[in-house]
PDB file of all heavy atoms in Angstrom:
ATOM      1  N   ARG A  96       7.803  -1.461   3.204  1.00 97.00           N
ATOM      2  CA  ARG A  96       7.198  -2.740   2.810  1.00 97.00           C
ATOM      3  C   ARG A  96       8.264  -3.673   2.257  1.00 97.00           C
ATOM      4  O   ARG A  96       8.309  -4.864   2.565  1.00 97.00           O
ATOM      5  CB  ARG A  96       6.126  -2.526   1.734  1.00 97.00           C
ATOM      6  CG  ARG A  96       4.737  -2.369   2.296  1.00 97.00           C
ATOM      7  CD  ARG A  96       3.703  -2.321   1.185  1.00 97.00           C
ATOM      8  NE  ARG A  96       2.613  -1.452   1.563  1.00 97.00           N
ATOM      9  CZ  ARG A  96       1.461  -1.862   2.094  1.00 97.00           C
ATOM     10  NH1 ARG A  96       1.223  -3.140   2.266  1.00 97.00           N
ATOM     11  NH2 ARG A  96       0.540  -1.004   2.430  1.00 97.00           N
ATOM     12  N   GLU A  97       9.158  -3.118   1.424  1.00 98.00           N
ATOM     13  CA  GLU A  97      10.210  -3.947   0.817  1.00 98.00           C
ATOM     14  C   GLU A  97      11.266  -4.334   1.846  1.00 98.00           C
ATOM     15  O   GLU A  97      11.729  -5.465   1.880  1.00 98.00           O
ATOM     16  CB  GLU A  97      10.852  -3.187  -0.351  1.00 98.00           C
ATOM     17  CG  GLU A  97       9.856  -2.957  -1.473  1.00 98.00           C
ATOM     18  CD  GLU A  97      10.389  -2.055  -2.570  1.00 98.00           C
ATOM     19  OE1 GLU A  97      11.599  -1.792  -2.630  1.00 98.00           O
ATOM     20  OE2 GLU A  97       9.554  -1.612  -3.387  1.00 98.00           O
ATOM     21  N   TYR A 131      -8.846  -6.516   3.657  1.00 91.00           N
ATOM     22  CA  TYR A 131      -9.841  -6.316   2.610  1.00 91.00           C
ATOM     23  C   TYR A 131     -10.056  -4.825   2.382  1.00 91.00           C
ATOM     24  O   TYR A 131     -11.179  -4.333   2.352  1.00 91.00           O
ATOM     25  CB  TYR A 131     -11.152  -7.042   2.942  1.00 91.00           C
ATOM     26  CG  TYR A 131     -10.980  -8.541   2.996  1.00 91.00           C
ATOM     27  CD1 TYR A 131     -10.708  -9.193   4.186  1.00 91.00           C
ATOM     28  CD2 TYR A 131     -11.060  -9.296   1.835  1.00 91.00           C
ATOM     29  CE1 TYR A 131     -10.516 -10.566   4.234  1.00 91.00           C
ATOM     30  CE2 TYR A 131     -10.873 -10.672   1.867  1.00 91.00           C
ATOM     31  CZ  TYR A 131     -10.603 -11.304   3.067  1.00 91.00           C
ATOM     32  OH  TYR A 131     -10.410 -12.669   3.106  1.00 91.00           O
ATOM     33  N   LEU A 136     -11.397  -5.643   9.911  1.00 95.00           N
ATOM     34  CA  LEU A 136     -10.187  -5.488  10.717  1.00 95.00           C
ATOM     35  C   LEU A 136      -9.736  -6.863  11.184  1.00 95.00           C
ATOM     36  O   LEU A 136     -10.577  -7.727  11.438  1.00 95.00           O
ATOM     37  CB  LEU A 136     -10.480  -4.642  11.962  1.00 95.00           C
ATOM     38  CG  LEU A 136     -10.949  -3.206  11.741  1.00 95.00           C
ATOM     39  CD1 LEU A 136     -11.297  -2.569  13.078  1.00 95.00           C
ATOM     40  CD2 LEU A 136      -9.870  -2.400  11.035  1.00 95.00           C
ATOM     41  N   GLU A 137      -8.436  -7.061  11.317  1.00 96.00           N
ATOM     42  CA  GLU A 137      -7.970  -8.297  11.936  1.00 96.00           C
ATOM     43  C   GLU A 137      -7.062  -7.977  13.107  1.00 96.00           C
ATOM     44  O   GLU A 137      -6.370  -6.960  13.119  1.00 96.00           O
ATOM     45  CB  GLU A 137      -7.255  -9.212  10.928  1.00 96.00           C
ATOM     46  CG  GLU A 137      -5.885  -8.753  10.506  1.00 96.00           C
ATOM     47  CD  GLU A 137      -5.088  -9.839   9.775  1.00 96.00           C
ATOM     48  OE1 GLU A 137      -5.592 -10.953   9.549  1.00 96.00           O
ATOM     49  OE2 GLU A 137      -3.925  -9.552   9.428  1.00 96.00           O
ATOM     50  N   LYS A 138      -7.114  -8.876  14.112  1.00 96.00           N
ATOM     51  CA  LYS A 138      -6.139  -8.826  15.187  1.00 96.00           C
ATOM     52  C   LYS A 138      -5.135  -9.918  14.864  1.00 96.00           C
ATOM     53  O   LYS A 138      -5.518 -11.052  14.560  1.00 96.00           O
ATOM     54  CB  LYS A 138      -6.812  -9.065  16.530  1.00 96.00           C
ATOM     55  CG  LYS A 138      -7.635  -7.867  16.985  1.00 96.00           C
ATOM     56  CD  LYS A 138      -8.123  -8.034  18.399  1.00 96.00           C
ATOM     57  CE  LYS A 138      -9.102  -6.953  18.779  1.00 96.00           C
ATOM     58  NZ  LYS A 138      -8.428  -5.792  19.391  1.00 96.00           N
ATOM     59  N   GLU A 182      19.299   4.657 -12.684  1.00 93.00           N
ATOM     60  CA  GLU A 182      19.903   5.489 -13.717  1.00 93.00           C
ATOM     61  C   GLU A 182      19.473   6.936 -13.615  1.00 93.00           C
ATOM     62  O   GLU A 182      20.228   7.845 -13.886  1.00 93.00           O
ATOM     63  CB  GLU A 182      19.510   4.964 -15.100  1.00 93.00           C
ATOM     64  CG  GLU A 182      20.202   3.663 -15.427  1.00 93.00           C
ATOM     65  CD  GLU A 182      20.019   3.279 -16.871  1.00 93.00           C
ATOM     66  OE1 GLU A 182      19.029   3.723 -17.482  1.00 93.00           O
ATOM     67  OE2 GLU A 182      20.868   2.527 -17.374  1.00 93.00           O
ATOM     68  N   ARG A 274     -12.868   6.185   5.363  1.00 89.00           N
ATOM     69  CA  ARG A 274     -13.920   6.250   6.379  1.00 89.00           C
ATOM     70  C   ARG A 274     -13.379   6.493   7.786  1.00 89.00           C
ATOM     71  O   ARG A 274     -14.140   6.846   8.676  1.00 89.00           O
ATOM     72  CB  ARG A 274     -14.822   5.021   6.332  1.00 89.00           C
ATOM     73  CG  ARG A 274     -14.150   3.745   6.782  1.00 89.00           C
ATOM     74  CD  ARG A 274     -15.100   2.568   6.742  1.00 89.00           C
ATOM     75  NE  ARG A 274     -16.504   2.969   6.781  1.00 89.00           N
ATOM     76  CZ  ARG A 274     -17.475   2.355   6.126  1.00 89.00           C
ATOM     77  NH1 ARG A 274     -17.184   1.362   5.347  1.00 89.00           N
ATOM     78  NH2 ARG A 274     -18.707   2.728   6.262  1.00 89.00           N
ATOM     79  N   TYR A 296     -21.284  16.561   7.548  1.00 97.00           N
ATOM     80  CA  TYR A 296     -21.898  17.729   6.933  1.00 97.00           C
ATOM     81  C   TYR A 296     -22.025  17.494   5.441  1.00 97.00           C
ATOM     82  O   TYR A 296     -21.145  16.884   4.829  1.00 97.00           O
ATOM     83  CB  TYR A 296     -21.049  18.988   7.186  1.00 97.00           C
ATOM     84  CG  TYR A 296     -20.861  19.259   8.660  1.00 97.00           C
ATOM     85  CD1 TYR A 296     -19.642  19.003   9.273  1.00 97.00           C
ATOM     86  CD2 TYR A 296     -21.920  19.729   9.438  1.00 97.00           C
ATOM     87  CE1 TYR A 296     -19.467  19.222  10.639  1.00 97.00           C
ATOM     88  CE2 TYR A 296     -21.758  19.948  10.788  1.00 97.00           C
ATOM     89  CZ  TYR A 296     -20.531  19.686  11.391  1.00 97.00           C
ATOM     90  OH  TYR A 296     -20.372  19.896  12.731  1.00 97.00           O
TER      91      TYR A 296
ATOM     92  N   ASP B 121      -7.052  -8.683  -0.539  1.00 93.00           N
ATOM     93  CA  ASP B 121      -7.614  -9.358   0.642  1.00 93.00           C
ATOM     94  C   ASP B 121      -6.744  -9.059   1.872  1.00 93.00           C
ATOM     95  O   ASP B 121      -7.055  -8.178   2.653  1.00 93.00           O
ATOM     96  CB  ASP B 121      -7.836 -10.853   0.396  1.00 93.00           C
ATOM     97  CG  ASP B 121      -6.620 -11.564  -0.177  1.00 93.00           C
ATOM     98  OD1 ASP B 121      -5.544 -10.959  -0.266  1.00 93.00           O
ATOM     99  OD2 ASP B 121      -6.747 -12.753  -0.522  1.00 93.00           O
ATOM    100  N   THR B 124      -0.898  -7.290   2.310  1.00 95.00           N
ATOM    101  CA  THR B 124       0.365  -6.941   2.965  1.00 95.00           C
ATOM    102  C   THR B 124       1.344  -6.331   1.963  1.00 95.00           C
ATOM    103  O   THR B 124       2.177  -5.525   2.344  1.00 95.00           O
ATOM    104  CB  THR B 124       1.049  -8.160   3.614  1.00 95.00           C
ATOM    105  OG1 THR B 124       1.403  -9.084   2.594  1.00 95.00           O
ATOM    106  CG2 THR B 124       0.153  -8.821   4.633  1.00 95.00           C
ATOM    107  N   SER B 141      10.437  -2.955  -8.107  1.00 97.00           N
ATOM    108  CA  SER B 141       9.044  -2.848  -7.673  1.00 97.00           C
ATOM    109  C   SER B 141       8.367  -1.660  -8.333  1.00 97.00           C
ATOM    110  O   SER B 141       9.030  -0.767  -8.861  1.00 97.00           O
ATOM    111  CB  SER B 141       9.000  -2.680  -6.155  1.00 97.00           C
ATOM    112  OG  SER B 141       9.662  -1.485  -5.817  1.00 97.00           O
ATOM    113  N   ARG B 167      17.751  -0.406 -13.698  1.00 97.00           N
ATOM    114  CA  ARG B 167      17.950  -1.621 -14.495  1.00 97.00           C
ATOM    115  C   ARG B 167      18.613  -2.710 -13.647  1.00 97.00           C
ATOM    116  O   ARG B 167      19.252  -2.417 -12.631  1.00 97.00           O
ATOM    117  CB  ARG B 167      18.768  -1.335 -15.755  1.00 97.00           C
ATOM    118  CG  ARG B 167      20.162  -0.857 -15.494  1.00 97.00           C
ATOM    119  CD  ARG B 167      20.852  -0.455 -16.791  1.00 97.00           C
ATOM    120  NE  ARG B 167      21.922   0.479 -16.506  1.00 97.00           N
ATOM    121  CZ  ARG B 167      23.134   0.130 -16.061  1.00 97.00           C
ATOM    122  NH1 ARG B 167      23.438  -1.147 -15.903  1.00 97.00           N
ATOM    123  NH2 ARG B 167      24.042   1.042 -15.786  1.00 97.00           N
ATOM    124  N   ARG B 218      -3.680 -14.878  12.330  1.00 95.00           N
ATOM    125  CA  ARG B 218      -4.851 -14.043  12.555  1.00 95.00           C
ATOM    126  C   ARG B 218      -5.532 -14.549  13.821  1.00 95.00           C
ATOM    127  O   ARG B 218      -5.962 -15.698  13.894  1.00 95.00           O
ATOM    128  CB  ARG B 218      -5.803 -14.135  11.371  1.00 95.00           C
ATOM    129  CG  ARG B 218      -7.125 -13.418  11.613  1.00 95.00           C
ATOM    130  CD  ARG B 218      -8.021 -13.477  10.385  1.00 95.00           C
ATOM    131  NE  ARG B 218      -7.460 -12.658   9.307  1.00 95.00           N
ATOM    132  CZ  ARG B 218      -7.867 -12.724   8.040  1.00 95.00           C
ATOM    133  NH1 ARG B 218      -8.820 -13.567   7.691  1.00 95.00           N
ATOM    134  NH2 ARG B 218      -7.332 -11.945   7.124  1.00 95.00           N
ATOM    135  N   ALA B 219      -5.602 -13.680  14.845  1.00 93.00           N
ATOM    136  CA  ALA B 219      -6.230 -14.085  16.097  1.00 93.00           C
ATOM    137  C   ALA B 219      -7.736 -13.859  16.030  1.00 93.00           C
ATOM    138  O   ALA B 219      -8.508 -14.575  16.682  1.00 93.00           O
ATOM    139  CB  ALA B 219      -5.634 -13.297  17.262  1.00 93.00           C
ATOM    140  N   LEU B 222     -12.680  -8.885  12.641  1.00 95.00           N
ATOM    141  CA  LEU B 222     -13.743  -8.035  13.187  1.00 95.00           C
ATOM    142  C   LEU B 222     -14.379  -7.178  12.107  1.00 95.00           C
ATOM    143  O   LEU B 222     -13.723  -6.827  11.121  1.00 95.00           O
ATOM    144  CB  LEU B 222     -13.163  -7.056  14.221  1.00 95.00           C
ATOM    145  CG  LEU B 222     -12.316  -7.599  15.347  1.00 95.00           C
ATOM    146  CD1 LEU B 222     -11.542  -6.458  15.978  1.00 95.00           C
ATOM    147  CD2 LEU B 222     -13.210  -8.274  16.367  1.00 95.00           C
ATOM    148  N   ARG B 227     -19.705   3.752  11.684  1.00 76.00           N
ATOM    149  CA  ARG B 227     -19.548   5.200  11.741  1.00 76.00           C
ATOM    150  C   ARG B 227     -20.895   5.785  12.100  1.00 76.00           C
ATOM    151  O   ARG B 227     -21.814   5.807  11.295  1.00 76.00           O
ATOM    152  CB  ARG B 227     -19.104   5.706  10.368  1.00 76.00           C
ATOM    153  CG  ARG B 227     -18.063   6.778  10.440  1.00 76.00           C
ATOM    154  CD  ARG B 227     -17.755   7.362   9.093  1.00 76.00           C
ATOM    155  NE  ARG B 227     -17.594   8.801   9.269  1.00 76.00           N
ATOM    156  CZ  ARG B 227     -16.468   9.375   9.683  1.00 76.00           C
ATOM    157  NH1 ARG B 227     -15.427   8.651   9.925  1.00 76.00           N
ATOM    158  NH2 ARG B 227     -16.408  10.680   9.848  1.00 76.00           N
ATOM    159  N   GLU B 253     -15.351  22.283  14.642  1.00 95.00           N
ATOM    160  CA  GLU B 253     -14.899  20.907  14.888  1.00 95.00           C
ATOM    161  C   GLU B 253     -13.428  20.870  15.322  1.00 95.00           C
ATOM    162  O   GLU B 253     -12.920  19.816  15.734  1.00 95.00           O
ATOM    163  CB  GLU B 253     -15.051  20.047  13.621  1.00 95.00           C
ATOM    164  CG  GLU B 253     -16.498  19.819  13.178  1.00 95.00           C
ATOM    165  CD  GLU B 253     -17.143  18.649  13.913  1.00 95.00           C
ATOM    166  OE1 GLU B 253     -16.450  17.992  14.720  1.00 95.00           O
ATOM    167  OE2 GLU B 253     -18.341  18.410  13.668  1.00 95.00           O
TER     168      GLU B 253
END
Side-chain angles (χ1 to χ4, degrees):
Chain A
R96 267 187 213 263
E97 295 173 14
Y131 296 93
L136 298 175
E137 73 166 2
K138 287 189 188 269
E182 288 190 335
R274 69 179 338 144
Y296 302 106
Chain B
D121 50 8
T124 64
S141 62
R167 63 186 157 80
R218 173 177 291 166
L222 308 164
R227 221 186 140 83
E253 294 276 357

